[in-house]
Amino acid sequence: MGCWYSSLQLDWYRLRWRPKYYNPKPYKLWVKRVQLQNNQFSGDISEAFGEYPNLDYINLSNNSFYGHLSSSWGHCSKLTALKISNNRISGSLPPNLNNASQLRFLDLSSNEIVGMIPKSLENLVLLITFKLDNNKFSGNILLEVGKLSQLLIFSIAANNFVGLIPQHFESCQGIINLDLSRNMFFGKIPYGMGNLKMLEILDLSHNFLDGQIPQQFEGLTSLQIMNLSHNNLSGYIPSSISQCTGLDSVDVSYNQLEGPIPNNKAFLEAPYDSLRNNKGLCGNHSGFKPCSTYNQRDHTRRHLLLIILITFGSLFVVISIFVLLIIRSRSNIRERRPREITKDVLEILSFDGKVAYESIIEASENFDSKYCIGEGGHASVFKVELPSGQVVAIKKFKATGQEDEWCSLKSFSNEIRSLTEVRHRNIIKLYGFCASERHSFLIYEYLEGGSLAHILKHDEKALELGWMKRVNVVKDVAKALSYMHHDCSTPIVHRDISSKNVLFDLEYKAHVSDFGTAKILSLDSSNWTSFAGTFGYAAPEFAYTMEVNEKCDVYSFGVVALEIIMGKHPGDFITTILSPSTSSTSHQMLVKDLLDPRLSTPTKQVANELVLVAKIAVACLNSNPQCRPTMRQVSVLLSKELHLSNLLLDHITISQLFGLEFPTP
């Protein structure tokens, strides 16, 4: 009936209608505005609404429409508002929607739309409202948000987006509502957000953001609501944020924040739950201790530290001169007599250095080959029982005859000494090291269960490593790497994660080993160009960047995770599933063909666990390092309830990537 009118408004009448019986084709030229929201209309929307050359406004929100969005919407050249929120729309966004160049209001929230946001939508430069929240979108956001300079509302909350927060929001100077919450964004909050002077609502909660809250947030003079909760933000809350006089509501709970709570009404009157679960907040708030004692102690500590630095700085200069003179004297002596063997550059926790050194040499009969339990290109591993009865594993570096290599190892003694302080239930203990002209070796805890590589190569032992044990191995390795990357005082990159460096105790508890030669990264450096990894596990970007960072470990973890469920190294399978040309039709296979055939078919519950492992492994193998998750994200996902983890990883659908489906148990 309404097709005879240029404007049709039937909202809030609770009408029922199935559009498949409706044929509007003869009246397309007359339709300009359609308002059918807040009813009980249902049916497949895919082809029900075609091309309307004069359509200006359509609102189908709060109904029960289903189906896919037709590409025909892109041909509505005069359309200014497309609102189909709170229905059951599925499929992906049509890329040609950008052809509706007059579009100002796009609201597709609360549906079941999947896939990525087409980059072409950045051409909708007149957009004022952009709402895609509460859907199943995924992947990185590739569109340049800065081109949408007219934006007032940008909401993509409660989806499965990953990667860094889009840049250049500062170009959207009029934006008043920015909601990126409940996704999987990681990295730092862009400084440019502090330039949004009209912003009233900012919600970045429930992501994996780290780093500090930008000082530039003082520029958010119109801000009323700020939610940064459930991230991994650290450092102080900028005191300058107290200049945001319009701030009414804040939530920074469940982070790693510390120091004074800003002298701002919103913070001082915030409920305790909005500030709880941080590292060490203090201030004039009923739920926290005052900062006065803390500040005085901190001032005294800095003053004392300054005195100590000056004193020891002077002593260091004197001692350095003295040591240089001794070294020069000894070098002259060495030129006149044969080089003596030194053995006092040994440090072992809980042992006296020289005694331990002699005990190791004696117990191993000067590293006799009968004690050797493994050998690699750079070192050999020996099983040695000390006189005390303690069994240790000695990784002895092979001599090359070049004294500069010994000096190089010795130059890393401080870093290796720090590694002896690493304590985690899934990391092999490093007891100590020796860096001498005669021998250079590391002393590790010895485990009797053997390596993952060894177990997977032997059918009988592989059968003992059942499906749930394998899932737990993946979780153990993830916990170990998360600790090394995120919980050590200085981040540690392993650099050589592989199945040979995952060792077991007798109860099949996994432990990461051989991290003693890892480079301890300073906070502003991630380069160490000597390759010591294992081919087949090393990240592809290392070949051309020669940069080693945490993302390299993430890639190696992905390889190991696939190896655990496949029972063998993935090999060319990695190239196949990550190739841009791969499609679900060109590489069809069942997961039963992917899983280790030596084990029986997993139950449905275990199969779901293996799906989760496979999804995470594929995410870790992303060719773009910045798009890989962090090990903390991986560990959190593996520890979450299964249905929640799979919900977060719906964007890595195994069937979409390479046609995998689990067989019914």
Side-chain angles (χ1 to χ4, degrees):
M1 57 177 182
C3 294
W4 292 101
Y5 302 92
S6 62
S7 177
L8 175 62
Q9 183 170 348
L10 294 174
D11 56 314
W12 291 109
Y13 283 92
R14 311 301 293 170
L15 298 176
R16 298 176 182 273
W17 175 50
R18 296 188 64 82
K20 67 180 181 180
Y21 302 121
Y22 172 60
N23 182 13
K25 290 183 179 180
Y27 315 106
K28 286 183 178 181
L29 294 177
W30 285 275
V31 178
K32 292 185 178 180
R33 295 178 65 85
V34 177
Q35 293 179 260
L36 304 176
Q37 68 270 25
N38 305 313
N39 283 287
Q40 296 179 358
F41 293 139
S42 63
D44 192 340
I45 200 175
S46 301
E47 300 298 334
F49 295 92
E51 299 178 19
Y52 293 83
N54 293 312
L55 183 64
D56 172 73
Y57 181 100
I58 186 166
N59 191 342
L60 307 177
S61 300
N62 300 306
N63 283 288
S64 298
F65 292 120
Y66 57 87
H68 299 180
L69 291 175
S70 170
S71 60
S72 298
W73 293 111
H75 301 300
C76 299
S77 58
K78 296 183 180 181
L79 187 64
T80 61
L82 177 60
K83 300 181 179 182
I84 320 181
S85 64
N86 198 22
N87 281 276
R88 291 183 291 139
I89 309 301
S90 58
S92 57
L93 283 182
N96 72 331
L97 190 60
N98 69 300
N99 292 329
S101 57
Q102 299 302 307
L103 201 60
R104 289 171 171 80
F105 301 92
L106 178 62
D107 187 355
L108 303 174
S109 57
S110 298
N111 280 288
E112 300 173 5
I113 305 174
V114 300
M116 300 177 66
I117 300 177
K119 191 177 187 302
S120 58
L121 294 194
E122 67 188 27
N123 296 321
L124 297 175
V125 295
L126 299 180
L127 269 181
I128 296 174
T129 297
F130 189 92
K131 296 189 66 177
L132 302 178
D133 48 288
N134 197 24
N135 276 283
K136 296 182 179 181
F137 286 102
S138 60
N140 301 94
I141 298 180
L142 302 178
L143 74 165
E144 296 182 28
V145 182
K147 292 184 178 181
L148 308 177
S149 57
Q150 304 299 314
L151 273 179
L152 297 181
I153 298 174
F154 186 87
S155 178
I156 55 172
N159 281 285
N160 300 319
F161 291 116
V162 297
L164 302 176
I165 289 180
Q167 300 291 321
H168 310 304
F169 271 107
E170 62 268 28
S171 298
C172 308
Q173 284 297 304
I175 194 168
I176 59 175
N177 187 339
L178 179 57
D179 191 349
L180 310 179
S181 63
R182 299 184 183 277
N183 283 286
M184 296 179 65
F185 291 116
F186 56 83
K188 294 178 172 54
I189 299 175
Y191 296 141
M193 283 189 179
N195 298 324
L196 303 177
K197 299 186 182 300
M198 303 300 293
L199 189 64
E200 298 177 0
I201 301 174
L202 175 63
D203 194 344
L204 305 178
S205 63
H206 293 271
N207 281 288
F208 295 97
L209 301 174
D210 54 27
Q212 297 184 343
I213 300 174
Q215 291 284 346
Q216 288 82 350
F217 269 29
E218 66 181 17
L220 301 177
T221 53
S222 300
L223 194 63
Q224 299 176 17
I225 300 174
M226 181 179 73
N227 191 345
L228 306 178
S229 64
H230 294 84
N231 281 287
N232 193 38
L233 301 172
S234 58
Y236 286 21
I237 302 174
S239 59
S240 58
I241 208 169
S242 60
Q243 299 179 26
C244 301
T245 55
L247 197 59
D248 293 326
S249 173
V250 296
D251 192 343
V252 294
S253 59
Y254 293 90
N255 280 287
Q256 300 292 322
L257 299 169
E258 57 184 319
I261 297 172
N263 187 26
N264 177 284
K265 180 180 178 182
F267 279 94
L268 299 180
E269 297 182 359
Y272 175 73
D273 285 346
S274 296
L275 303 174
R276 66 180 303 172
N277 285 80
N278 275 287
K279 188 175 182 179
L281 291 177
C282 62
N284 299 323
H285 191 284
S286 58
F288 298 90
K289 296 179 180 180
C291 297
S292 56
T293 304
Y294 170 83
N295 290 337
Q296 180 64 34
R297 183 170 65 250
D298 190 53
H299 175 75
T300 303
R301 187 178 299 167
R302 287 198 299 267
H303 184 67
L304 179 61
L305 180 61
L306 182 61
I307 295 175
I308 293 174
L309 287 175
I310 294 174
T311 302
F312 279 93
S314 302
L315 287 174
F316 177 76
V317 174
V318 175
I319 293 173
S320 297
I321 296 174
F322 181 71
V323 170
L324 286 174
L325 291 174
I326 292 177
I327 292 175
R328 178 173 296 180
S329 174
R330 288 188 175 182
S331 63
N332 291 335
I333 293 174
R334 283 180 180 174
E335 291 177 358
R336 296 193 300 267
R337 67 180 185 181
R339 185 174 63 185
E340 295 180 358
I341 296 176
T342 62
K343 55 184 179 183
D344 56 354
V345 197
L346 181 75
E347 296 194 14
I348 304 179
L349 298 183
S350 304
F351 296 101
D352 174 76
K354 292 184 179 180
V355 173
Y357 179 88
E358 297 296 345
S359 298
I360 289 171
I361 298 300
E362 181 179 350
S364 65
E365 299 181 27
N366 198 19
F367 296 106
D368 191 282
S369 59
K370 65 183 179 182
Y371 296 98
C372 183
I373 58 174
E375 190 166 359
H378 303 285
S380 300
V381 181
F382 296 81
K383 177 183 177 182
V384 178
E385 182 176 354
L386 299 177
S388 63
Q390 182 176 8
V391 179
V392 295
I394 308 295
K395 181 173 183 178
K396 180 179 177 294
F397 295 97
K398 294 182 179 180
T400 62
Q402 297 180 3
E403 186 174 350
D404 58 344
E405 279 205 16
W406 170 77
C407 294
S408 176
L409 178 62
K410 185 177 178 181
S411 69
F412 283 103
S413 60
N414 289 334
E415 287 86 346
I416 298 176
R417 188 179 296 111
S418 299
L419 289 171
T420 60
E421 300 174 2
V422 171
R423 291 291 183 269
H424 190 274
R425 60 182 175 275
N426 297 119
I427 297 178
I428 292 286
K429 292 183 179 68
L430 175 63
Y431 290 128
F433 66 97
C434 169
S436 73
E437 294 179 354
R438 184 181 179 189
H439 297 297
S440 298
F441 55 81
L442 303 172
I443 306 102
Y444 288 104
E445 170 190 16
Y446 175 75
L447 294 182
E448 298 179 356
S451 70
L452 174 64
H454 177 75
I455 289 176
L456 293 180
K457 286 180 180 179
H458 294 78
D459 293 345
E460 184 176 342
K461 293 182 179 180
L463 288 174
E464 295 179 9
L465 196 64
W467 288 125
M468 279 312 300
K469 287 182 180 179
R470 297 194 186 197
V471 171
N472 290 331
V473 170
V474 175
K475 294 180 179 180
D476 289 343
V477 176
K479 290 175 183 176
L481 289 175
S482 177
Y483 172 83
M484 293 173 68
H485 290 182
H486 303 285
D487 297 320
C488 291
S489 56
T490 305
I492 300 174
V493 175
H494 189 289
R495 301 178 65 248
D496 192 14
I497 294 296
S498 64
S499 57
K500 67 181 176 63
N501 285 330
V502 177
L503 304 182
F504 295 100
D505 57 24
L506 294 178
E507 297 179 352
Y508 286 104
K509 176 69 71 175
H511 299 71
V512 173
S513 73
D514 200 24
F515 65 97
T517 53
K519 169 67 174 176
I520 295 185
L521 296 181
S522 61
L523 295 179
D524 59 350
S525 173
S526 60
N527 293 336
W528 200 32
T529 56
S530 59
F531 179 75
T534 301
F535 290 104
Y537 297 87
E541 68 270 11
F542 182 81
Y544 53 87
T545 64
M546 294 300 287
E547 293 183 2
V548 179
N549 53 40
E550 290 93 334
K551 295 298 186 180
C552 296
D553 281 353
V554 174
Y555 181 92
S556 301
F557 169 83
V559 178
V560 171
L562 281 181
E563 183 174 1
I564 289 171
I565 63 176
M566 294 177 68
K568 61 182 180 180
H569 188 279
D572 294 337
F573 182 72
I574 296 176
T575 305
T576 301
I577 63 175
L578 296 182
S579 172
S581 60
T582 300
S583 66
S584 57
T585 58
S586 59
H587 295 286
Q588 290 287 337
M589 62 177 68
L590 295 174
V591 166
K592 67 180 182 181
D593 300 322
L594 174 66
L595 300 181
D596 191 340
R598 294 172 293 186
L599 298 184
S600 59
T601 302
T603 64
K604 185 66 175 180
Q605 176 62 27
V606 175
N608 289 334
E609 294 273 3
L610 294 171
V611 167
L612 177 62
V613 171
K615 288 180 179 180
I616 292 175
V618 171
C620 293
L621 294 172
N622 196 302
S623 57
N624 184 351
Q626 296 303 317
C627 295
R628 297 170 196 159
T630 66
M631 287 311 305
R632 171 164 286 167
Q633 292 170 347
V634 169
S635 184
V636 168
L637 286 171
L638 288 169
S639 64
K640 283 183 179 292
E641 294 184 21
L642 185 63
H643 71 279
L644 179 58
S645 294
N646 275 309
L647 177 63
L648 290 171
L649 285 168
D650 273 348
H651 63 288
I652 309 171
T653 306
I654 300 300
S655 60
Q656 289 179 342
L657 281 172
F658 42 95
L660 300 181
E661 296 180 358
F662 271 103
T664 303

